Structures are given as C-alpha cells and as structure tokens.
Amino acid sequence: MFRYFVFSCNSAAVISKRGSPMTSVSWIRRLGAPLVAFVLIIGPSFSPVHAVEDAGKVGVVSFGLFGDQGVFRSEATGAAQIVAGRFETGPINVQYNSKKGGSATIEALARSLQVTANRLDAEKDVLFLILTSHGSPDGLAIKAGRVTQTLTPARLADMLAKTGVRHKVVVISACYSGVFIPRLANANVLVITAADASHPSFGCEDKAKWTYFGDAFFNVALRQAVSLKEAFLDARSLIRERELREHFEPSNPLMAGGANVLPLLVGRP
C-alpha cells in the first residue's frame, strides 16, 4: 500500500555512461498534478520475507538525487519497494528531485535519516539507505531545478554517525561510488556500490526504469536471494555479463564491511 506526501529531492551533475554511466531511470507515472518532488511512504504491499528471528525492523531511506533524469526517481522508489517486500520493515521514506526542483538536498537527507532513526531501536534495528544519482570522484551529484550540490563521503559519514543507529546498510548506485567505502564501511556498516572509485557505472537513460546496477541488484537479485551478500554476488555477475556484451569497461561493483549487519538481514523464503 502506498501513501504519497509532497516533498523533494535533488543532485549534482556528473557525466556518465549509463547507457551512459550512472544517471537515471524513469518509470513513475504522473500522479495527477505534476509533483516537484515527493516523499513516498511505502507499507509492504506483498508478503515480506522475515529476517532471522532475533532481528529487528529495517527502516528505509531512499533518495533519487539527480532531478534532470527520471531514472533516479524511478530507481529510488522501486528499490525501496523491493527492500520493503524482502524484510520486516519499519519507517520507509523516499524522496526525489525533478527538473523543476525538489528538496532532496543534503540537508533534507540529514533530516530524513534522523527522523527515520528516531523510529528505530538503535541497537536492534537496521537503517537501510539507498542513494541513486550521478557520481564523481568527489561524491554524489544533487540537482533540484537550479540547485546543485555534491554529497561527499565525509558529509555522509557524519550524517550516518549522528543517527545513533548501530547497524546500517548503504547502497549507492552511481559512477565512482566506491569512493564512499573507505569513509563508511566497518563491521556495523555494510556498503554496496555500483562501481569502484575509478570507474563509471551505466544505464542512466532518462526514460529507463533502472540503471544497470539497480536492475541487477534490486529488480532481479534481491527479489529472490536469501541474503544481501548473495544478492550482491548474483548482481555483480549479471552486470559483468551485460557490460561485456555491450563492450563497456567493467564498473566493478563493490561490497565492504557489514560483518555484524549481514546476520540481521537474512530472509527466509
């Protein structure tokens, strides 16, 4: 079941090859009057696969940061839906930017993370962050209308630390997203990125529903894998095959950290 609330999102431009590297995928239908941006609160609409018995809830924050391409809006929304269907979920917050504007800014992300964290058990639950945008060696591009920002690894690390939630998952679908791993990954923070720190990722055409990474990881692998690790390994193989077929240089998706998090996110069929 879905409830829609007006809100916003944005991103900073970085040229990619996702179809051209990491950019966008669009599929969300217009919901009546044009929305500059919105927060989508998703309640699991299909039978969830529960995590291990002693695991808590998963609170999801999903941001489509680059408003000029609808693929990021589509991916942020679709990914949150799928996570909500796979695990026992708590609060779910989705925001994205559009070409006209939006409020999915750095400041909005910090607020959203904190609000979601406040509704979780800091020791038992898991904060699950999904970010999709263009990326560069400096960080993630945020664009909402004329507003542009860059979300750096240091700034995101600071936001996550302030939430107070011990166990976190961060999935970043963007070119060069491996730059976030050194600042974020540790035993309590699992980080999954669409590319390493030196390569672009692909599939951000404006009218697409998913980037290559988002399609392989969320839309295909996570729907059926028992664990996030299994989903990552399956997705990495799918991406590699597609990049070879299309003669792209490998993006090299990465997974790091999370030794204490993975046991909490193993689903049962």
Side-chain angles (χ1 to χ4, degrees), residues 128-180:
F128 199 120
L129 173 62
I130 302 162
L131 298 173
T132 178
S133 182
H134 288 293
S136 77
D138 294 325
L140 295 179
I142 297 174
K143 192 168 191 305
R146 296 181 179 180
V147 176
T148 61
Q149 297 175 311
T150 299
L151 176 61
T152 65
R155 187 70 180 272
L156 182 57
D158 183 59
M159 286 184 202
L160 291 170
K162 288 179 178 177
T163 64
V165 175
R166 180 183 297 275
H167 300 110
K168 296 177 278 285
V169 175
V170 181
V171 182
I172 303 177
S173 179
C175 295
Y176 310 102
S177 44
V179 298
F180 284 85

mmCIF file of all heavy atoms in Angstrom, residues 128-180:
data_model
loop_
_atom_site.group_PDB
_atom_site.id
_atom_site.type_symbol
_atom_site.label_atom_id
_atom_site.label_comp_id
_atom_site.label_asym_id
_atom_site.label_seq_id
_atom_site.Cartn_x
_atom_site.Cartn_y
_atom_site.Cartn_z
ATOM 1 N N PHE A 128 18.553 1.398 6.568
ATOM 2 C CA PHE A 128 18.907 0.991 5.204
ATOM 3 C C PHE A 128 18.793 2.205 4.291
ATOM 4 O O PHE A 128 17.706 2.674 3.993
ATOM 5 C CB PHE A 128 17.944 -0.108 4.743
ATOM 6 C CG PHE A 128 18.416 -0.940 3.586
ATOM 7 C CD1 PHE A 128 18.573 -2.307 3.725
ATOM 8 C CD2 PHE A 128 18.686 -0.380 2.349
ATOM 9 C CE1 PHE A 128 18.993 -3.101 2.667
ATOM 10 C CE2 PHE A 128 19.109 -1.152 1.280
ATOM 11 C CZ PHE A 128 19.265 -2.524 1.440
ATOM 12 N N LEU A 129 19.937 2.715 3.830
ATOM 13 C CA LEU A 129 19.978 3.911 2.989
ATOM 14 C C LEU A 129 20.267 3.548 1.541
ATOM 15 O O LEU A 129 21.219 2.815 1.254
ATOM 16 C CB LEU A 129 21.053 4.872 3.501
ATOM 17 C CG LEU A 129 21.341 6.105 2.634
ATOM 18 C CD1 LEU A 129 20.115 7.002 2.517
ATOM 19 C CD2 LEU A 129 22.530 6.883 3.193
ATOM 20 N N ILE A 130 19.466 4.084 0.622
ATOM 21 C CA ILE A 130 19.653 3.884 -0.819
ATOM 22 C C ILE A 130 19.821 5.258 -1.461
ATOM 23 O O ILE A 130 18.972 6.144 -1.278
ATOM 24 C CB ILE A 130 18.441 3.176 -1.443
ATOM 25 C CG1 ILE A 130 18.189 1.817 -0.773
ATOM 26 C CG2 ILE A 130 18.630 3.007 -2.957
ATOM 27 C CD1 ILE A 130 16.789 1.265 -1.023
ATOM 28 N N LEU A 131 20.910 5.446 -2.192
ATOM 29 C CA LEU A 131 21.150 6.703 -2.900
ATOM 30 C C LEU A 131 21.409 6.384 -4.362
ATOM 31 O O LEU A 131 22.222 5.509 -4.689
ATOM 32 C CB LEU A 131 22.360 7.428 -2.314
ATOM 33 C CG LEU A 131 22.254 7.856 -0.848
ATOM 34 C CD1 LEU A 131 23.582 8.401 -0.360
ATOM 35 C CD2 LEU A 131 21.142 8.883 -0.668
ATOM 36 N N THR A 132 20.737 7.099 -5.264
ATOM 37 C CA THR A 132 20.947 6.880 -6.688
ATOM 38 C C THR A 132 21.079 8.225 -7.390
ATOM 39 O O THR A 132 20.271 9.139 -7.188
ATOM 40 C CB THR A 132 19.810 6.016 -7.300
ATOM 41 O OG1 THR A 132 20.022 5.876 -8.700
ATOM 42 C CG2 THR A 132 18.437 6.606 -7.031
ATOM 43 N N SER A 133 22.139 8.365 -8.190
ATOM 44 C CA SER A 133 22.436 9.644 -8.833
ATOM 45 C C SER A 133 23.614 9.468 -9.789
ATOM 46 O O SER A 133 24.113 8.364 -9.986
ATOM 47 C CB SER A 133 22.794 10.697 -7.782
ATOM 48 O OG SER A 133 23.032 11.962 -8.392
ATOM 49 N N HIS A 134 24.080 10.578 -10.330
ATOM 50 C CA HIS A 134 25.373 10.618 -10.991
ATOM 51 C C HIS A 134 26.432 10.715 -9.898
ATOM 52 O O HIS A 134 26.175 11.240 -8.813
ATOM 53 C CB HIS A 134 25.485 11.841 -11.900
ATOM 54 C CG HIS A 134 24.650 11.752 -13.142
ATOM 55 N ND1 HIS A 134 24.904 10.852 -14.140
ATOM 56 C CD2 HIS A 134 23.568 12.465 -13.524
ATOM 57 C CE1 HIS A 134 24.015 11.004 -15.106
ATOM 58 N NE2 HIS A 134 23.188 11.971 -14.754
ATOM 59 N N GLY A 135 27.638 10.243 -10.216
ATOM 60 C CA GLY A 135 28.705 10.321 -9.240
ATOM 61 C C GLY A 135 30.004 10.766 -9.876
ATOM 62 O O GLY A 135 30.173 10.715 -11.093
ATOM 63 N N SER A 136 30.917 11.202 -9.036
ATOM 64 C CA SER A 136 32.251 11.609 -9.466
ATOM 65 C C SER A 136 33.222 11.207 -8.373
ATOM 66 O O SER A 136 32.798 10.787 -7.285
ATOM 67 C CB SER A 136 32.301 13.118 -9.686
ATOM 68 O OG SER A 136 32.368 13.793 -8.440
ATOM 69 N N PRO A 137 34.518 11.357 -8.587
ATOM 70 C CA PRO A 137 35.472 11.061 -7.515
ATOM 71 C C PRO A 137 35.273 11.929 -6.277
ATOM 72 O O PRO A 137 35.795 11.612 -5.215
ATOM 73 C CB PRO A 137 36.828 11.323 -8.180
ATOM 74 C CG PRO A 137 36.589 11.012 -9.628
ATOM 75 C CD PRO A 137 35.210 11.554 -9.893
ATOM 76 N N ASP A 138 34.502 13.005 -6.403
ATOM 77 C CA ASP A 138 34.238 13.879 -5.253
ATOM 78 C C ASP A 138 33.028 13.457 -4.442
ATOM 79 O O ASP A 138 32.881 13.862 -3.283
ATOM 80 C CB ASP A 138 34.038 15.323 -5.716
ATOM 81 C CG ASP A 138 35.298 15.917 -6.313
ATOM 82 O OD1 ASP A 138 36.397 15.587 -5.819
ATOM 83 O OD2 ASP A 138 35.178 16.685 -7.285
ATOM 84 N N GLY A 139 32.118 12.693 -5.050
ATOM 85 C CA GLY A 139 30.911 12.288 -4.342
ATOM 86 C C GLY A 139 29.715 12.202 -5.262
ATOM 87 O O GLY A 139 29.852 11.961 -6.469
ATOM 88 N N LEU A 140 28.519 12.400 -4.708
ATOM 89 C CA LEU A 140 27.271 12.260 -5.455
ATOM 90 C C LEU A 140 26.702 13.605 -5.871
ATOM 91 O O LEU A 140 26.670 14.558 -5.085
ATOM 92 C CB LEU A 140 26.229 11.524 -4.609
ATOM 93 C CG LEU A 140 26.540 10.075 -4.261
ATOM 94 C CD1 LEU A 140 25.434 9.499 -3.402
ATOM 95 C CD2 LEU A 140 26.740 9.246 -5.521
ATOM 96 N N ALA A 141 26.211 13.662 -7.110
ATOM 97 C CA ALA A 141 25.617 14.879 -7.635
ATOM 98 C C ALA A 141 24.181 15.016 -7.162
ATOM 99 O O ALA A 141 23.398 14.080 -7.205
ATOM 100 C CB ALA A 141 25.661 14.847 -9.155
ATOM 101 N N ILE A 142 23.846 16.212 -6.730
ATOM 102 C CA ILE A 142 22.478 16.541 -6.321
ATOM 103 C C ILE A 142 22.014 17.695 -7.195
ATOM 104 O O ILE A 142 22.685 18.707 -7.311
ATOM 105 C CB ILE A 142 22.421 16.954 -4.842
ATOM 106 C CG1 ILE A 142 22.857 15.784 -3.961
ATOM 107 C CG2 ILE A 142 21.034 17.440 -4.468
ATOM 108 C CD1 ILE A 142 22.967 16.137 -2.491
ATOM 109 N N LYS A 143 20.854 17.505 -7.830
ATOM 110 C CA LYS A 143 20.314 18.569 -8.681
ATOM 111 C C LYS A 143 18.799 18.618 -8.554
ATOM 112 O O LYS A 143 18.109 17.645 -8.850
ATOM 113 C CB LYS A 143 20.701 18.363 -10.141
ATOM 114 C CG LYS A 143 20.410 19.598 -11.004
ATOM 115 C CD LYS A 143 21.048 19.495 -12.366
ATOM 116 C CE LYS A 143 20.988 20.833 -13.106
ATOM 117 N NZ LYS A 143 19.630 21.363 -13.216
ATOM 118 N N ALA A 144 18.317 19.771 -8.110
ATOM 119 C CA ALA A 144 16.881 20.010 -7.991
ATOM 120 C C ALA A 144 16.599 21.351 -8.646
ATOM 121 O O ALA A 144 16.826 22.403 -8.054
ATOM 122 C CB ALA A 144 16.457 20.035 -6.528
ATOM 123 N N GLY A 145 16.128 21.311 -9.888
ATOM 124 C CA GLY A 145 15.955 22.563 -10.611
ATOM 125 C C GLY A 145 17.311 23.233 -10.796
ATOM 126 O O GLY A 145 18.236 22.652 -11.338
ATOM 127 N N ARG A 146 17.441 24.462 -10.304
ATOM 128 C CA ARG A 146 18.703 25.187 -10.428
ATOM 129 C C ARG A 146 19.660 24.925 -9.261
ATOM 130 O O ARG A 146 20.800 25.386 -9.271
ATOM 131 C CB ARG A 146 18.429 26.688 -10.522
ATOM 132 C CG ARG A 146 17.650 27.083 -11.774
ATOM 133 C CD ARG A 146 17.440 28.585 -11.817
ATOM 134 N NE ARG A 146 16.711 28.992 -13.017
ATOM 135 C CZ ARG A 146 16.392 30.241 -13.300
ATOM 136 N NH1 ARG A 146 16.743 31.216 -12.459
ATOM 137 N NH2 ARG A 146 15.718 30.523 -14.402
ATOM 138 N N VAL A 147 19.197 24.195 -8.277
ATOM 139 C CA VAL A 147 20.025 23.912 -7.101
ATOM 140 C C VAL A 147 20.943 22.736 -7.385
ATOM 141 O O VAL A 147 20.508 21.682 -7.832
ATOM 142 C CB VAL A 147 19.150 23.582 -5.878
ATOM 143 C CG1 VAL A 147 20.021 23.182 -4.693
ATOM 144 C CG2 VAL A 147 18.275 24.775 -5.514
ATOM 145 N N THR A 148 22.232 22.910 -7.147
ATOM 146 C CA THR A 148 23.200 21.823 -7.310
ATOM 147 C C THR A 148 24.062 21.718 -6.061
ATOM 148 O O THR A 148 24.428 22.733 -5.450
ATOM 149 C CB THR A 148 24.105 22.043 -8.535
ATOM 150 O OG1 THR A 148 24.840 23.261 -8.370
ATOM 151 C CG2 THR A 148 23.281 22.106 -9.809
ATOM 152 N N GLN A 149 24.369 20.488 -5.681
ATOM 153 C CA GLN A 149 25.227 20.226 -4.534
ATOM 154 C C GLN A 149 26.031 18.966 -4.817
ATOM 155 O O GLN A 149 25.721 18.211 -5.740
ATOM 156 C CB GLN A 149 24.391 19.991 -3.263
ATOM 157 C CG GLN A 149 23.560 21.160 -2.795
ATOM 158 C CD GLN A 149 22.690 20.784 -1.611
ATOM 159 O OE1 GLN A 149 21.986 19.770 -1.626
ATOM 160 N NE2 GLN A 149 22.733 21.603 -0.567
ATOM 161 N N THR A 150 27.032 18.716 -3.989
ATOM 162 C CA THR A 150 27.774 17.464 -4.044
ATOM 163 C C THR A 150 27.802 16.858 -2.650
ATOM 164 O O THR A 150 28.240 17.516 -1.684
ATOM 165 C CB THR A 150 29.212 17.684 -4.537
ATOM 166 O OG1 THR A 150 29.182 18.221 -5.859
ATOM 167 C CG2 THR A 150 29.974 16.356 -4.567
ATOM 168 N N LEU A 151 27.317 15.648 -2.541
ATOM 169 C CA LEU A 151 27.349 14.929 -1.265
ATOM 170 C C LEU A 151 28.664 14.165 -1.193
ATOM 171 O O LEU A 151 28.889 13.226 -1.945
ATOM 172 C CB LEU A 151 26.167 13.967 -1.162
ATOM 173 C CG LEU A 151 26.127 13.079 0.086
ATOM 174 C CD1 LEU A 151 26.050 13.931 1.359
ATOM 175 C CD2 LEU A 151 24.948 12.105 0.003
ATOM 176 N N THR A 152 29.539 14.561 -0.296
ATOM 177 C CA THR A 152 30.858 13.951 -0.177
ATOM 178 C C THR A 152 30.824 12.760 0.775
ATOM 179 O O THR A 152 29.933 12.653 1.635
ATOM 180 C CB THR A 152 31.886 14.959 0.349
ATOM 181 O OG1 THR A 152 31.524 15.328 1.701
ATOM 182 C CG2 THR A 152 31.943 16.202 -0.537
ATOM 183 N N PRO A 153 31.795 11.859 0.676
ATOM 184 C CA PRO A 153 31.873 10.744 1.621
ATOM 185 C C PRO A 153 31.962 11.205 3.070
ATOM 186 O O PRO A 153 31.321 10.622 3.954
ATOM 187 C CB PRO A 153 33.144 10.008 1.176
ATOM 188 C CG PRO A 153 33.227 10.280 -0.293
ATOM 189 C CD PRO A 153 32.767 11.707 -0.431
ATOM 190 N N ALA A 154 32.727 12.256 3.329
ATOM 191 C CA ALA A 154 32.869 12.744 4.698
ATOM 192 C C ALA A 154 31.540 13.249 5.255
ATOM 193 O O ALA A 154 31.194 12.988 6.416
ATOM 194 C CB ALA A 154 33.915 13.864 4.747
ATOM 195 N N ARG A 155 30.784 13.973 4.427
ATOM 196 C CA ARG A 155 29.496 14.514 4.891
ATOM 197 C C ARG A 155 28.503 13.388 5.165
ATOM 198 O O ARG A 155 27.778 13.425 6.169
ATOM 199 C CB ARG A 155 28.933 15.457 3.813
ATOM 200 C CG ARG A 155 27.676 16.215 4.251
ATOM 201 C CD ARG A 155 27.998 17.251 5.312
ATOM 202 N NE ARG A 155 26.808 17.969 5.740
ATOM 203 C CZ ARG A 155 26.342 19.066 5.148
ATOM 204 N NH1 ARG A 155 26.977 19.580 4.102
ATOM 205 N NH2 ARG A 155 25.267 19.678 5.607
ATOM 206 N N LEU A 156 28.479 12.384 4.297
ATOM 207 C CA LEU A 156 27.553 11.271 4.519
ATOM 208 C C LEU A 156 27.952 10.478 5.755
ATOM 209 O O LEU A 156 27.085 10.066 6.540
ATOM 210 C CB LEU A 156 27.522 10.362 3.296
ATOM 211 C CG LEU A 156 26.547 9.181 3.386
ATOM 212 C CD1 LEU A 156 25.122 9.655 3.652
ATOM 213 C CD2 LEU A 156 26.604 8.341 2.107
ATOM 214 N N ALA A 157 29.238 10.270 5.959
ATOM 215 C CA ALA A 157 29.695 9.545 7.145
ATOM 216 C C ALA A 157 29.258 10.264 8.413
ATOM 217 O O ALA A 157 28.828 9.633 9.396
ATOM 218 C CB ALA A 157 31.209 9.403 7.110
ATOM 219 N N ASP A 158 29.339 11.591 8.401
ATOM 220 C CA ASP A 158 28.930 12.378 9.563
ATOM 221 C C ASP A 158 27.431 12.243 9.822
ATOM 222 O O ASP A 158 27.002 12.077 10.966
ATOM 223 C CB ASP A 158 29.300 13.841 9.323
ATOM 224 C CG ASP A 158 28.967 14.719 10.514
ATOM 225 O OD1 ASP A 158 29.485 14.467 11.607
ATOM 226 O OD2 ASP A 158 28.160 15.673 10.347
ATOM 227 N N MET A 159 26.637 12.298 8.766
ATOM 228 C CA MET A 159 25.182 12.144 8.912
ATOM 229 C C MET A 159 24.827 10.795 9.541
ATOM 230 O O MET A 159 23.987 10.712 10.441
ATOM 231 C CB MET A 159 24.512 12.198 7.540
ATOM 232 C CG MET A 159 24.424 13.528 6.894
ATOM 233 S SD MET A 159 23.473 13.301 5.351
ATOM 234 C CE MET A 159 24.035 14.720 4.445
ATOM 235 N N LEU A 160 25.444 9.746 9.020
ATOM 236 C CA LEU A 160 25.125 8.405 9.496
ATOM 237 C C LEU A 160 25.532 8.223 10.953
ATOM 238 O O LEU A 160 24.813 7.603 11.744
ATOM 239 C CB LEU A 160 25.811 7.369 8.619
ATOM 240 C CG LEU A 160 25.265 7.264 7.188
ATOM 241 C CD1 LEU A 160 26.170 6.391 6.331
ATOM 242 C CD2 LEU A 160 23.844 6.711 7.189
ATOM 243 N N ALA A 161 26.677 8.763 11.316
ATOM 244 C CA ALA A 161 27.137 8.642 12.698
ATOM 245 C C ALA A 161 26.181 9.324 13.668
ATOM 246 O O ALA A 161 25.937 8.835 14.774
ATOM 247 C CB ALA A 161 28.536 9.239 12.832
ATOM 248 N N LYS A 162 25.607 10.442 13.251
ATOM 249 C CA LYS A 162 24.712 11.203 14.125
ATOM 250 C C LYS A 162 23.365 10.532 14.348
ATOM 251 O O LYS A 162 22.626 10.912 15.259
ATOM 252 C CB LYS A 162 24.505 12.608 13.552
ATOM 253 C CG LYS A 162 25.727 13.500 13.696
ATOM 254 C CD LYS A 162 25.490 14.882 13.103
ATOM 255 C CE LYS A 162 26.701 15.775 13.311
ATOM 256 N NZ LYS A 162 26.524 17.112 12.678
ATOM 257 N N THR A 163 23.017 9.546 13.518
ATOM 258 C CA THR A 163 21.715 8.887 13.688
ATOM 259 C C THR A 163 21.645 8.099 14.982
ATOM 260 O O THR A 163 20.569 7.905 15.549
ATOM 261 C CB THR A 163 21.427 7.919 12.527
ATOM 262 O OG1 THR A 163 22.389 6.849 12.539
ATOM 263 C CG2 THR A 163 21.454 8.636 11.193
ATOM 264 N N GLY A 164 22.796 7.600 15.443
ATOM 265 C CA GLY A 164 22.801 6.808 16.666
ATOM 266 C C GLY A 164 22.409 5.354 16.472
ATOM 267 O O GLY A 164 22.479 4.562 17.412
ATOM 268 N N VAL A 165 21.993 4.975 15.262
ATOM 269 C CA VAL A 165 21.633 3.578 14.985
ATOM 270 C C VAL A 165 22.920 2.801 14.733
ATOM 271 O O VAL A 165 23.755 3.211 13.925
ATOM 272 C CB VAL A 165 20.706 3.480 13.757
ATOM 273 C CG1 VAL A 165 20.438 2.021 13.404
ATOM 274 C CG2 VAL A 165 19.399 4.201 14.041
ATOM 275 N N ARG A 166 23.084 1.672 15.416
ATOM 276 C CA ARG A 166 24.326 0.915 15.309
ATOM 277 C C ARG A 166 24.500 0.255 13.946
ATOM 278 O O ARG A 166 25.545 0.371 13.307
ATOM 279 C CB ARG A 166 24.380 -0.163 16.393
ATOM 280 C CG ARG A 166 25.668 -0.988 16.341
ATOM 281 C CD ARG A 166 25.659 -2.081 17.377
ATOM 282 N NE ARG A 166 25.614 -1.543 18.729
ATOM 283 C CZ ARG A 166 26.700 -1.156 19.414
ATOM 284 N NH1 ARG A 166 27.896 -1.242 18.854
ATOM 285 N NH2 ARG A 166 26.575 -0.691 20.640
ATOM 286 N N HIS A 167 23.482 -0.455 13.480
ATOM 287 C CA HIS A 167 23.619 -1.260 12.269
ATOM 288 C C HIS A 167 23.008 -0.547 11.062
ATOM 289 O O HIS A 167 21.841 -0.150 11.093
ATOM 290 C CB HIS A 167 22.946 -2.623 12.456
ATOM 291 C CG HIS A 167 23.536 -3.404 13.593
ATOM 292 N ND1 HIS A 167 22.854 -3.642 14.764
ATOM 293 C CD2 HIS A 167 24.751 -3.969 13.733
ATOM 294 C CE1 HIS A 167 23.617 -4.346 15.581
ATOM 295 N NE2 HIS A 167 24.783 -4.555 14.984
ATOM 296 N N LYS A 168 23.814 -0.415 10.018
ATOM 297 C CA LYS A 168 23.363 0.324 8.835
ATOM 298 C C LYS A 168 23.778 -0.382 7.548
ATOM 299 O O LYS A 168 24.812 -1.039 7.503
ATOM 300 C CB LYS A 168 23.927 1.750 8.855
ATOM 301 C CG LYS A 168 23.428 2.592 10.019
ATOM 302 C CD LYS A 168 24.054 3.963 10.050
ATOM 303 C CE LYS A 168 25.413 3.980 10.696
ATOM 304 N NZ LYS A 168 25.366 3.860 12.164
ATOM 305 N N VAL A 169 22.950 -0.192 6.511
ATOM 306 C CA VAL A 169 23.285 -0.633 5.152
ATOM 307 C C VAL A 169 23.219 0.598 4.265
ATOM 308 O O VAL A 169 22.259 1.373 4.340
ATOM 309 C CB VAL A 169 22.286 -1.690 4.633
ATOM 310 C CG1 VAL A 169 22.584 -2.037 3.169
ATOM 311 C CG2 VAL A 169 22.329 -2.949 5.489
ATOM 312 N N VAL A 170 24.237 0.786 3.429
ATOM 313 C CA VAL A 170 24.256 1.911 2.497
ATOM 314 C C VAL A 170 24.481 1.342 1.097
ATOM 315 O O VAL A 170 25.495 0.701 0.840
ATOM 316 C CB VAL A 170 25.383 2.914 2.833
ATOM 317 C CG1 VAL A 170 25.357 4.081 1.842
ATOM 318 C CG2 VAL A 170 25.248 3.416 4.268
ATOM 319 N N VAL A 171 23.512 1.560 0.214
ATOM 320 C CA VAL A 171 23.628 1.108 -1.178
ATOM 321 C C VAL A 171 23.658 2.347 -2.055
ATOM 322 O O VAL A 171 22.728 3.155 -2.032
ATOM 323 C CB VAL A 171 22.458 0.197 -1.589
ATOM 324 C CG1 VAL A 171 22.644 -0.280 -3.030
ATOM 325 C CG2 VAL A 171 22.360 -1.015 -0.656
ATOM 326 N N ILE A 172 24.742 2.504 -2.826
ATOM 327 C CA ILE A 172 24.916 3.701 -3.654
ATOM 328 C C ILE A 172 25.016 3.303 -5.115
ATOM 329 O O ILE A 172 25.943 2.605 -5.526
ATOM 330 C CB ILE A 172 26.166 4.493 -3.243
ATOM 331 C CG1 ILE A 172 26.083 4.864 -1.755
ATOM 332 C CG2 ILE A 172 26.286 5.754 -4.091
ATOM 333 C CD1 ILE A 172 27.305 5.587 -1.229
ATOM 334 N N SER A 173 24.064 3.754 -5.893
ATOM 335 C CA SER A 173 24.016 3.468 -7.327
ATOM 336 C C SER A 173 24.471 4.716 -8.078
ATOM 337 O O SER A 173 23.693 5.627 -8.335
ATOM 338 C CB SER A 173 22.572 3.088 -7.720
ATOM 339 O OG SER A 173 22.474 2.838 -9.095
ATOM 340 N N ALA A 174 25.764 4.750 -8.394
ATOM 341 C CA ALA A 174 26.335 5.931 -9.056
ATOM 342 C C ALA A 174 27.723 5.599 -9.590
ATOM 343 O O ALA A 174 28.379 4.677 -9.110
ATOM 344 C CB ALA A 174 26.434 7.106 -8.078
ATOM 345 N N CYS A 175 28.170 6.361 -10.545
ATOM 346 C CA CYS A 175 29.544 6.243 -11.031
ATOM 347 C C CYS A 175 30.517 6.570 -9.897
ATOM 348 O O CYS A 175 30.217 7.420 -9.046
ATOM 349 C CB CYS A 175 29.792 7.234 -12.163
ATOM 350 S SG CYS A 175 28.822 6.925 -13.639
ATOM 351 N N TYR A 176 31.644 5.889 -9.868
ATOM 352 C CA TYR A 176 32.728 6.166 -8.920
ATOM 353 C C TYR A 176 32.292 6.045 -7.460
ATOM 354 O O TYR A 176 32.951 6.563 -6.565
ATOM 355 C CB TYR A 176 33.317 7.561 -9.162
ATOM 356 C CG TYR A 176 33.676 7.809 -10.602
ATOM 357 C CD1 TYR A 176 32.849 8.578 -11.429
ATOM 358 C CD2 TYR A 176 34.814 7.240 -11.171
ATOM 359 C CE1 TYR A 176 33.159 8.778 -12.775
ATOM 360 C CE2 TYR A 176 35.128 7.435 -12.511
ATOM 361 C CZ TYR A 176 34.299 8.203 -13.306
ATOM 362 O OH TYR A 176 34.589 8.398 -14.635
ATOM 363 N N SER A 177 31.188 5.347 -7.218
ATOM 364 C CA SER A 177 30.629 5.291 -5.865
ATOM 365 C C SER A 177 31.516 4.548 -4.873
ATOM 366 O O SER A 177 31.322 4.668 -3.653
ATOM 367 C CB SER A 177 29.227 4.677 -5.892
ATOM 368 O OG SER A 177 29.168 3.530 -6.713
ATOM 369 N N GLY A 178 32.511 3.830 -5.361
ATOM 370 C CA GLY A 178 33.454 3.187 -4.457
ATOM 371 C C GLY A 178 34.216 4.160 -3.580
ATOM 372 O O GLY A 178 34.817 3.759 -2.573
ATOM 373 N N VAL A 179 34.196 5.449 -3.938
ATOM 374 C CA VAL A 179 34.901 6.449 -3.112
ATOM 375 C C VAL A 179 34.298 6.541 -1.711
ATOM 376 O O VAL A 179 34.940 7.041 -0.790
ATOM 377 C CB VAL A 179 34.894 7.857 -3.757
ATOM 378 C CG1 VAL A 179 35.621 7.839 -5.092
ATOM 379 C CG2 VAL A 179 33.468 8.384 -3.914
ATOM 380 N N PHE A 180 33.072 6.060 -1.537
ATOM 381 C CA PHE A 180 32.421 6.133 -0.234
ATOM 382 C C PHE A 180 32.863 5.024 0.715
ATOM 383 O O PHE A 180 32.678 5.142 1.933
ATOM 384 C CB PHE A 180 30.898 6.092 -0.397
ATOM 385 C CG PHE A 180 30.315 7.384 -0.884
ATOM 386 C CD1 PHE A 180 30.275 7.670 -2.243
ATOM 387 C CD2 PHE A 180 29.818 8.320 0.000
ATOM 388 C CE1 PHE A 180 29.743 8.864 -2.711
ATOM 389 C CE2 PHE A 180 29.290 9.527 -0.446
ATOM 390 C CZ PHE A 180 29.260 9.804 -1.807
#
